[in-house]
Amino acid sequence: MFEFLFKRQGDKPGNAPAAAGGKAADKEAKPAAGAALSAPGAAQGAPGQARPAQQGREQQTEALRQLDGDETRAVEFILQADFSELRLAAAEHVHSRAALERVHAAMRNVDRRVAKLMQSRLDAIRHHDAELARGQATLDQARSLLQDQVLTPNHVAELDRKWAVISAPELADEFTSVRAQLGKRLEAQVQLQRAMIDRVASLRALETAGLNAAELAARLDALQQEQNAALAAPEHAALPRALPAEFVNEHARLSASLATLEQAQAALAAREAALAEWRAQPVAELQADKLRQAWQKLPALPQAAAAAALQESFDALLGTLPQPVRKPAPASPAVQATAQSVKPVQKGADQGFIDTMDALEAALQQGSLGTAAELDKALKETKGKGMRLSAAQADRLSHLRAELKRLSDWARWGGNVSREELIKTVETLSTQNLPMAELAKKVGSMRDRWKALDSLSGAAPKSLWERFDHACTVAYAPAAAHFKHLADERHTNAARGEALVAEAQAEIARLESGEADWKHVAGTVQRMRLAWSHLGATDRKDKKRLDQQFAAALTTLQGPLEEQRKAEMAGREQLIDEVASIDPHDRHAVDRLRDIQARWQEHARALPLERKAEQALWQRFRAACDELFAARKESAHAADTERRAHEAAKEAITARLEAAAPDATPATAGKLLREAAAEWHAIGPVPRAHEARVEKRYHEAVAKVQHHADLARRAAGLALAGALRDKLRACQELEDSLAQPGQTISADDWRARWAALLPAGAEYDPVLDARFEAALNAVDGDRAGYARLLEANRATLLQELLRQEVAAGIDSGAEFARDRLKLQVEALQSTLKAGEKPGHKTSGLRQLCALPALVDDRTALRIEQLLMRTAREGK
């Protein structure tokens, strides 16, 4: 009849506490306080009450087996399942984005493991989609490159770099196909360029190949056709612009020389044919004068070597012809008498005269008029010495001099034409915007060509010379102004050099007076050296003197500066040694290094060194600093590795506590927590970033173990309290039956009922067994006397119950307020005098249980409330 006292809000009929079974599955299986005391024999029913939960797990496990990979059913199962292990197993079948998002939204605050699995799969899908999008963009770029008219290798290389970091197997085949097409286009471009380069080289090789005109023309046509085909190729736009232009220039040059080659070959063929024809005729039919006239009418040869060879052949032919013999006319008698009185003169020229005539003829054939004029002068001087020529020699000499006069007239006319061309060329120089040096060189070359024309074609008319001189003066005017400006600049540079030397001398005087600022001196030396290097050109007469003066002043300044820099370099070396001597494991190593770096900066600001020395020392200093930081990083890495190992060890301890928490009992929890605490404190520190999390998890695991131990202790206390209550109720009912004289009592039934009750513990079983036996003995003995005893002990029971309620802090009701206050005062006085004795509450409750007395419903309720409070407190 006291079941309502042990029920809590939210308990359902038939829902047994999981604590009576020993384990809790989820929050729905948490024990209900006092449920074990709800009715006699409730403790025996705890295992049976846990059976519905077990049956629910088995049903859901069977439903999990029947999913058979169906994602939709797996999602519905996860949303309805009550057990986290089953939900996690069903989550293995969920893979689509919509299902993952639905499960993640539902399990985010319910099941952390399932939500984390869903999140990881969603992240993988998003990553794959992102990679696919990047791959598609790269593929689109590849297709765009494939459509471009001009494809450059750097664009393809950039495309390959982008694709190398993309993971998109779905697009790999398509990208490989497009990339192969791009490779073919690049290969076609390379082959096209190589073919173009080879054609240009072939054109250049034709010049020295020794081909005739027909072969050269055929080869040029073939190369032009190849060039036209290359320009019509799909990849012609990728050709460098210089290559086609170079081919066009070379082809045009060779085409222009083709006409000259044809003329030369025609002239050579004509002369060779004439020689062959003359050689085939009888010698008697040939006349030297006619042959010479025919030979002169033939086209001239541009190649001097071929012309000389053919001329030798022609001269050899002439040498084979017989010389004509002329009969002298009869002289008058006076002439004959004079001839007899005059000394006879040698007839015929000597070999030297003939050789000179041959050289004159060769010079005329080659067009060397200057040489021909000199040879003619020599012939005149030789003939004036009394040499008498034969008729043939005289005819030949006359013919040669007539040819010389003809060529000289033509040369004079051609010289005047050339002079007109020179004048026009000089007049156009001012419009060509040539560099001044090239302009001066061209004007000088024009004057040299004018002088050469004077030597070849004679003196020029005065009017032409005045026009040419005026044109050269006008064309050279900008160059003259420019060179005058350069001369002025040389004078200005010389003045600047003098100023620099004077400044160096002033700095030397300041240095000798002891007022030198080494940083200023170093800066001045560097600035002056740079200014001197940019001084510019000076006159040769000033350059040597200024260079010597500046070098002497700079040497005087650099001597003390170099000494000071050596001392500064020694100081820098010492700083490097200090960095190398720092212990990387020292906690103040970074502070010391910062101090040394600050000192280095002070030294650098005080006196800059030579750039090369400064860079070398700085590299060494930085290397020493890097080595220190590397050593510290390595030490920190080792410490971090050790801390991570410590973290893993502590995580293992925490995991062991979390695994053991559901099975923790008051007997095992203490030992488990002591061992875990000893191991925990024996392990070193963990990474600072994870320290709070590791500590929090450990304390939560300890609290969980303690909580389950408390639950087990409380469940055990409630079970003992229930057994104690059942036995106490049996004793009270038996004593109440004894107090009623007319009621029949069966000792055997009562003993069977008593034996069926659970034990109440070693502390209460003896007193309750003794009380029960005493009541049974009174059934067959002095029943009336025992009834009077029960009635007499009622007041004692009430007094002792009130005392126990005061000690437990339980309200006894308004009717007992006065007695309760009195007992509270007595208890306070007793506590102040001697203190509360250990076990006072437990011994008082045992005495209360051992006292046989009659109780009414109110008193029985108060006793059960006292038992409930004692069970909750675990006493």
Side-chain angles (χ1 to χ4, degrees):
M1 65 184 187
F2 303 108
E3 286 80 4
F4 69 96
L5 294 174
F6 301 95
K7 290 184 179 179
R8 294 195 305 177
Q9 185 177 1
D11 288 346
K12 297 180 180 180
N15 188 12
K23 291 186 178 180
D26 284 305
K27 61 182 182 180
E28 64 271 12
K30 290 185 178 180
L37 305 178
S38 59
Q44 296 94 327
Q49 293 170 356
R51 189 172 295 113
Q54 184 65 26
Q55 292 177 354
R57 177 186 288 271
E58 292 177 355
Q59 293 176 357
Q60 294 184 8
T61 303
E62 183 62 26
L64 176 63
R65 294 193 188 99
Q66 296 176 0
L67 291 179
D68 196 19
D70 190 344
E71 186 179 57
T72 304
R73 294 172 57 191
V75 171
E76 298 299 331
F77 178 85
I78 293 171
L79 299 181
Q80 298 176 4
D82 298 327
F83 303 96
S84 60
E85 307 85 37
L86 302 180
R87 288 195 294 264
L88 184 62
E92 297 297 331
H93 303 293
V94 181
H95 298 284
S96 65
R97 179 191 290 269
L100 290 171
E101 291 177 349
R102 181 183 178 188
V103 174
H104 179 266
M107 295 291 108
R108 184 168 50 190
N109 298 324
V110 176
D111 196 325
R112 187 175 182 179
R113 292 188 298 174
V114 174
K116 188 174 182 181
L117 178 60
M118 299 297 104
Q119 184 64 51
S120 65
R121 290 182 179 175
L122 285 172
D123 293 342
I125 291 176
R126 295 188 185 102
H127 175 73
H128 180 265
D129 292 345
E131 289 294 310
L132 197 61
R134 291 175 57 196
Q136 187 62 45
T138 307
L139 183 58
D140 294 341
Q141 181 182 359
R143 291 170 178 163
S144 176
L145 289 178
L146 192 60
Q147 300 300 324
D148 287 346
Q149 185 178 4
V150 179
L151 178 64
T152 56
N154 57 338
H155 290 166
V156 179
E158 181 65 23
L159 184 71
D160 291 339
R161 283 193 294 271
K162 286 184 179 180
W163 185 261
V165 297
I166 295 175
S167 176
E170 300 90 339
L171 304 176
D173 295 339
E174 191 171 358
F175 179 81
T176 302
S177 176
V178 177
R179 180 61 181 83
Q181 297 178 29
L182 292 174
K184 290 180 180 179
R185 285 194 60 185
L186 290 178
E187 184 64 25
Q189 291 180 6
V190 171
Q191 293 178 358
L192 196 63
Q193 292 181 14
R194 288 177 180 173
M196 181 71 70
I197 294 172
D198 293 341
R199 277 192 294 276
V200 173
S202 299
L203 282 176
R204 292 172 178 170
L206 290 178
E207 188 174 3
T208 58
L211 302 177
N212 55 34
E215 293 174 347
L216 180 60
R219 186 60 181 155
L220 288 176
D221 291 341
L223 291 175
Q224 184 62 48
Q225 291 177 4
E226 294 179 3
Q227 180 70 6
N228 295 336
L231 294 178
E235 301 298 334
H236 74 279
L239 288 172
R241 296 181 179 179
L243 283 178
E246 188 174 0
F247 179 87
V248 170
N249 294 334
E250 290 293 330
H251 193 276
R253 185 178 61 83
L254 290 175
S255 299
S257 65
L258 183 61
T260 304
L261 181 60
E262 290 176 349
Q263 294 176 1
Q265 289 180 352
L268 181 61
R271 288 181 180 264
E272 288 179 349
L275 283 175
E277 182 181 356
W278 294 338
R279 286 171 182 166
Q281 295 179 8
V283 177
E285 297 179 359
L286 299 177
Q287 298 180 6
D289 294 339
K290 293 182 179 180
L291 291 181
R292 289 191 185 96
Q293 291 177 2
W295 186 260
Q296 293 295 331
K297 293 179 181 179
L298 292 175
L301 291 175
Q303 297 91 348
L310 289 175
Q311 185 64 38
E312 290 179 358
S313 301
F314 180 72
D315 292 340
L317 177 63
L318 290 178
T320 61
L321 299 180
Q323 297 295 330
V325 179
R326 293 184 180 181
K327 295 181 179 182
S332 63
V335 173
Q336 291 178 1
T338 304
Q340 291 176 359
S341 63
V342 178
K343 185 177 180 180
V345 181
Q346 183 181 1
K347 289 185 178 182
D350 58 4
Q351 187 62 37
F353 191 86
I354 295 174
D355 292 340
T356 305
M357 282 197 301
D358 293 339
L360 174 61
E361 186 175 7
L364 291 175
Q365 289 179 355
Q366 294 177 5
S368 301
L369 295 181
T371 304
E374 293 292 334
L375 293 173
D376 183 56
K377 184 178 180 182
L379 290 175
K380 288 179 180 179
E381 292 175 354
T382 304
K383 186 179 179 182
K385 295 179 180 180
M387 180 179 296
R388 190 172 182 180
L389 302 179
S390 64
Q393 292 174 348
D395 291 341
R396 182 183 179 190
L397 181 59
S398 299
H399 176 73
L400 291 176
R401 285 176 176 170
E403 183 68 18
L404 176 60
K405 184 179 182 303
R406 185 180 68 82
L407 293 179
S408 297
D409 294 339
W410 277 107
R412 188 176 295 107
W413 178 81
N416 291 335
V417 173
S418 299
R419 289 185 180 97
E420 292 286 350
E421 294 295 330
L422 277 179
I423 292 172
K424 292 180 181 179
T425 303
V426 172
E427 289 175 348
T428 59
L429 287 178
S430 59
T431 63
Q432 295 180 5
N433 296 325
L434 297 174
M436 295 298 104
E438 186 177 353
L439 177 61
K441 184 177 179 181
K442 279 190 174 293
V443 172
S445 66
M446 293 300 173
R447 289 187 179 275
D448 293 338
R449 290 176 61 184
W450 185 276
K451 293 179 181 178
L453 287 175
D454 286 346
S455 63
L456 292 175
S457 58
K462 184 178 180 180
S463 60
L464 284 179
W465 161 248
E466 290 176 351
R467 286 177 57 195
F468 176 74
D469 185 63
H470 177 70
C472 288
T473 303
V474 173
Y476 188 73
H482 172 71
F483 293 140
K484 184 178 182 302
H485 177 68
L486 293 181
D488 294 340
E489 281 188 352
R490 287 195 293 271
H491 291 303
T492 303
N493 294 337
R496 290 171 54 198
E498 295 283 356
L500 287 176
V501 172
E503 184 180 358
Q505 295 293 342
E507 191 66 30
I508 292 173
R510 191 180 299 109
L511 182 64
E512 292 175 350
S513 65
E515 301 177 357
D517 180 4
W518 293 112
K519 183 178 181 180
H520 176 72
V521 172
T524 301
V525 169
Q526 185 177 4
R527 178 178 55 79
M528 292 174 62
R529 183 181 296 169
L530 183 62
W532 190 266
S533 65
H534 292 83
L535 186 60
T538 59
D539 290 335
R540 187 175 299 178
K541 61 182 180 179
D542 296 330
K543 181 173 178 57
K544 185 175 181 180
R545 175 180 57 82
L546 291 175
D547 285 343
Q548 291 177 353
Q549 292 178 358
F550 183 76
L554 206 61
T555 302
T556 304
L557 282 175
Q558 282 184 331
L561 180 61
E562 290 300 326
E563 294 295 330
Q564 190 67 23
R565 279 177 170 171
K566 288 181 180 179
E568 180 64 23
M569 290 177 66
R572 304 279 183 93
E573 294 282 354
Q574 185 178 359
L575 291 178
I576 294 173
D577 295 337
E578 289 184 18
V579 173
S581 64
I582 296 177
D583 183 10
H585 304 289
D586 187 6
R587 59 183 299 183
H588 302 293
V590 177
D591 296 334
R592 290 184 58 191
L593 181 60
R594 288 175 179 170
D595 179 64
I596 295 173
Q597 289 176 341
R599 289 159 56 193
W600 182 281
Q601 295 297 330
E602 292 176 0
H603 281 275
R605 286 191 294 267
L607 177 59
L609 303 178
E610 291 289 343
R611 182 175 181 83
K612 185 176 181 180
E614 183 83 37
Q615 288 294 329
L617 289 172
W618 169 248
Q619 293 294 339
R620 291 177 54 196
F621 180 75
R622 189 172 65 177
C625 295
D626 292 342
E627 289 179 2
L628 177 63
F629 280 114
R632 287 183 60 83
K633 185 176 180 180
E634 184 177 357
S635 177
H637 179 70
D640 187 57
T641 302
E642 184 179 1
R643 289 190 181 96
R644 286 198 294 269
H646 294 166
E647 180 184 3
K650 288 191 174 183
E651 291 284 0
I653 294 175
T654 304
R656 190 169 72 246
L657 289 178
E658 291 174 348
D663 300 330
T665 63
T668 61
K671 180 180 179 182
L672 179 63
L673 293 178
R674 286 192 300 272
E675 292 176 352
E679 294 180 16
W680 183 272
H681 294 298
I683 298 173
V686 301
R688 293 184 178 179
H690 303 166
E691 185 176 3
R693 178 182 60 78
V694 173
E695 291 285 344
K696 180 180 178 182
R697 184 183 175 192
Y698 170 72
H699 290 301
E700 289 177 353
V702 170
K704 187 180 294 185
V705 171
Q706 190 66 47
H707 173 68
H708 282 279
D710 292 341
L711 289 179
R713 183 184 299 108
R714 185 176 178 183
L718 290 174
L720 289 176
L724 177 60
R725 182 202 60 189
D726 293 341
K727 285 194 172 185
L728 187 59
R729 282 182 179 181
C731 291
Q732 291 172 354
E733 292 178 6
L734 178 59
E735 290 172 350
D736 186 59
S737 299
L738 287 173
Q740 297 177 10
Q743 186 173 356
T744 303
I745 300 173
S746 174
D748 295 335
D749 293 341
W750 277 102
R751 288 188 183 278
R753 179 180 175 183
W754 186 265
L757 295 177
L758 294 176
E763 192 172 4
Y764 295 100
D765 276 340
V767 295
L768 290 174
D769 290 342
R771 181 176 176 181
F772 181 76
E773 290 296 333
L776 283 181
N777 293 333
V779 172
D780 298 329
D782 188 5
R783 181 173 179 177
Y786 196 77
R788 289 191 299 273
L789 177 63
L790 294 175
E791 184 63 32
N793 289 339
R794 185 192 294 267
T796 305
L797 177 65
L798 292 175
Q799 186 68 20
E800 184 62 26
L801 177 59
L802 185 61
R803 183 180 291 107
Q804 294 298 325
E805 288 175 341
V806 171
I810 301 175
D811 186 19
S812 303
E815 65 272 20
F816 300 103
R818 186 176 184 85
D819 296 336
R820 181 182 178 87
L821 179 61
K822 182 178 179 181
L823 289 176
Q824 288 176 345
V825 173
E826 291 178 357
L828 180 60
Q829 291 176 352
S830 176
T831 302
L832 292 175
K833 290 180 180 179
E836 186 177 0
K837 296 181 181 180
H840 175 70
K841 294 181 180 180
T842 305
S843 60
L845 185 59
R846 186 171 58 250
Q847 292 176 4
L848 185 64
C849 293
L851 182 63
L854 293 177
V855 294
D856 53 8
D857 293 343
R858 171 63 174 162
T859 304
L861 179 60
R862 290 171 59 192
I863 292 174
E864 291 184 359
Q865 287 179 345
L866 180 61
L867 292 176
M868 183 62 185
R869 174 62 62 85
T870 303
R872 286 179 180 176
E873 294 179 355
K875 301 298 183 180

